Amino acid sequence: MDHNQTTGAAGESYPSTRRIQRLSGHLSPSEHIHPSIPPQLRLQACARVNLEVDTEKLSVYMRGKHRELQDKVYEYFNSKPELKTPLEISKDDHRELCMRQLLGLVREGGIRPFCHVFDDPGKYFALLEAIGSVDMSLGIKMGVQYSLWGGSVINLGTKRHRDKYFDAIDSVEYPGCFAMTELHHGSNVQGLQTVAKFDPLTDEFVIDTPNDGAIKWWIGNAAVHGKFATVFARLILPTHDARGTTDMGVHAFIVPIRDMKTHQTLPGIEIQDCGHKIGLNGVDNGALRFCSVRIPRENLLNRFGDVSRDGKYTSSLPTINKRFAATLGELVGGRVGLAYSSVGVLKIAVTVAIRYSLLRQQFGPPKQPEVSILDYQSHQHKLMPMLASTYAFHFATLHLVEKYSEMKKTHDDQLVSDVHALSAGLKAYITSYTAKSLSACREACGGHGYAAVNRFGSLRNDHDIFQTFEGDNTVLLQQVAADLLKQYKEKFQGGTLAVTWNYLRESMNTYLSQPNPVTARWEGEDHLRDPKFQLDAFRYRTSRLLQSAAVRLRKHTKTLGSFGAWNRCLNHLLTLGESHIESVILAKFIEAVQRCPDPSTQAALKLVCDLYALERIWKDIGTYRNVDYMAPNKAKAIHKLTEYLSFLVRNVARELVDAFDLPDHVTRAPIAMKSDAYSHYTQYVGF
């Protein structure tokens, strides 16, 4: 071949030649180091290519103390083929199977999640992840029974409610619902229209649906199985003035909806089926309408407000807003569970996509064997940062569960506020990321990813609603931004900062000064992989966004009012919320790396953590370049190093996904079986 056909006039190789050289480097890393790495770093690179990952040690560190509990769930369902969810199943059959699965797990499998909701939330969420990986509908149904219905009774009620209902909820003798959402109101819970009027003559509350917009909608367990519902309604008390009544705000009430013996709908209650959904069809969502349904006064869940026999209202909290905030604060566990479960879904999808990509071979250098599609840079770019994010989210949600567990024990006001914002942000960020990643994983598996048996369709459809229930993600990110702005205001008024936001003290001061022109040009690998540099960059971006958001809001409030100003800056505020949550995720990942006791495991986690951090910085490199936080040479170095780290992670990708320790009967996709995957696949279609 003529030399000029492969190189330019100055000896620069053409793109096609460079791609072949790069691919050859992937195949023989000890001889050919990634072309993006400068010569002075190639000896270091050569050593890192041979990084060894002890899958068992990494798995033990990842899954920790709840590993045996999750394995108990996996073993139970593996021993019960009749309880496995078939690929093709009708809505009605799926609902009945889901109920049998839950009853079998609790009554036969001896797994009782309800006590863990209060005594050890970490165990509960670990169970939720494992059960959801078996069938996401089952995980949601369990969450409705124990976290929502059971959690509302115990968290919002008092001793009399716990004594009466706990055991029957635990055994699923009392299957129940959580009736908050209405046809016209979802995120705006304070706008709910269902009413509960107190009748002092009979010592009862009368529950009414005043109009169609107040019909309770999308209520899990309502269409078929529920016998009770926690109904959120406006508490209306009689008064002796001209008004006649007073609205005490939204409260929660236990309302029986079906007869305990006959299972017939009780008088005054109308139940309709919400029908077939995009996903989660094992959950029987229904709509509830109430017409003068009478319940005893004791059915008010009265932890934060009570009504006496003569109709007098008492509360330890002075205002409607404080009572409402306390009520919702006790229900934050649902968001914690969704964030945690969403990571579990991402683990399954990433495992299937990476195992298949290692197995699948396509094209290659002339007259040489075909290569794994994961050896292509484009595929590494698609999947390796996703794998790194999965690890990052795992440690971030473990931290969230720890903070939530501490909050449940101490009831510390500051911790309640901190967990509320953290759970809102992590739920919004992680579920949105997972939803996008499910499509990317499907595409990464080509046509075989489109086969229903390989699970991407069901995972994507079942998970999609995670972005909406327990708080719409857009609304939740605004709550994060609002908390940051509150902390910003307190900072400049001399107040204290909450634990999660402490870094704002230092980074706000950094923001107010000009970027250092020397460090802006540093491009050495040691510097770029320094956790301090990475975390400073994340926090600098958040601080810039926070300060500029505060300035813009102050400016627009003068002409548009507070609501109009917020709406004018809304996209800015959503970016602020995401930026802060990314900073928290990275901080927790860095801490997890530093805590790891085994050197080889720590080295693997450090590699993955660096990829997560630098890939996120590169994705938002324009922000850093616009303010000269990073010079052009540094931005280019980050890009090259990110590509190289993706290459290194690819070399240990199998071990990293195996450390999730998901049995074949959990991943279930034939193309992702640990051995002989193609044989499993051909057998499935009948060969």
Side-chain angles (χ1 to χ4, degrees), residues 87 345 348-353 355-356 359 438 441-443 445-460 664 666-673 677-678 680-682 684-685:
L87 188 61
V345 175
I348 294 173
V350 167
T351 296
V352 173
R355 284 183 182 166
Y356 174 76
L359 171 74
L438 286 165
C441 286
R442 203 291 302 158
E443 293 170 17
C445 295
H448 296 312
Y450 198 62
V453 70
N454 290 319
R455 295 199 69 189
F456 290 118
S458 60
L459 288 172
R460 184 170 57 191
D664 280 348
V666 172
T667 56
R668 296 206 301 277
I671 60 172
M673 294 298 173
Y678 274 134
H680 286 285
Y681 198 21
T682 54
Y684 164 74
V685 298

Side-chain angles (χ1 to χ4, degrees), residues 10 59 211 230 461 483 548:
S59 183
N211 54 63
T230 296
N461 291 346
D483 267 21
S548 56

Side-chain angles (χ1 to χ4, degrees), residues 522-538:
W522 286 354
E523 58 179 280
E525 182 182 8
D526 288 344
H527 168 65
L528 297 181
R529 297 187 67 177
D530 183 347
K532 185 179 186 307
F533 156 71
Q534 297 165 0
L535 204 49
D536 282 349
F538 274 52

Side-chain angles (χ1 to χ4, degrees), residues 551-620:
V551 170
R552 289 186 66 202
L553 285 169
R554 189 159 52 241
K555 171 188 171 183
H556 291 304
T557 299
K558 296 175 183 177
T559 55
L560 301 176
S562 58
F563 180 85
W566 188 270
N567 194 35
R568 174 66 66 87
C569 301
L570 188 51
N571 289 334
H572 186 156
L573 295 166
L574 295 176
T575 304
L576 167 62
E578 289 180 340
S579 176
H580 169 68
I581 291 302
E582 287 179 348
S583 298
V584 172
I585 291 169
L586 178 59
K588 297 308 156 188
F589 199 173
I590 290 171
E591 289 176 12
V593 173
Q594 293 171 344
R595 284 197 312 267
C596 184
D598 177 65
S600 63
T601 301
Q602 186 182 60
L605 288 174
K606 177 67 168 66
L607 171 64
V608 176
C609 185
D610 288 340
L611 176 58
Y612 172 77
L614 294 175
E615 193 265 346
R616 287 304 311 134
I617 291 172
W618 173 248
K619 275 196 169 183
D620 205 19

Side-chain angles (χ1 to χ4, degrees), residues 300-346:
L300 167 66
L301 294 172
N302 61 336
R303 178 178 171 188
F304 299 116
D306 204 358
V307 177
S308 65
R309 177 65 183 85
D310 57 359
K312 291 183 179 179
Y313 185 83
T314 56
S315 175
S316 59
L317 301 171
T319 66
I320 287 177
N321 285 341
K322 286 188 178 295
R323 291 192 292 271
F324 178 75
T327 297
L328 291 192
E330 286 300 322
L331 304 175
V332 75
R335 292 175 186 168
V336 177
L338 283 182
Y340 198 93
S341 296
S342 185
V343 180
V345 175
L346 186 57

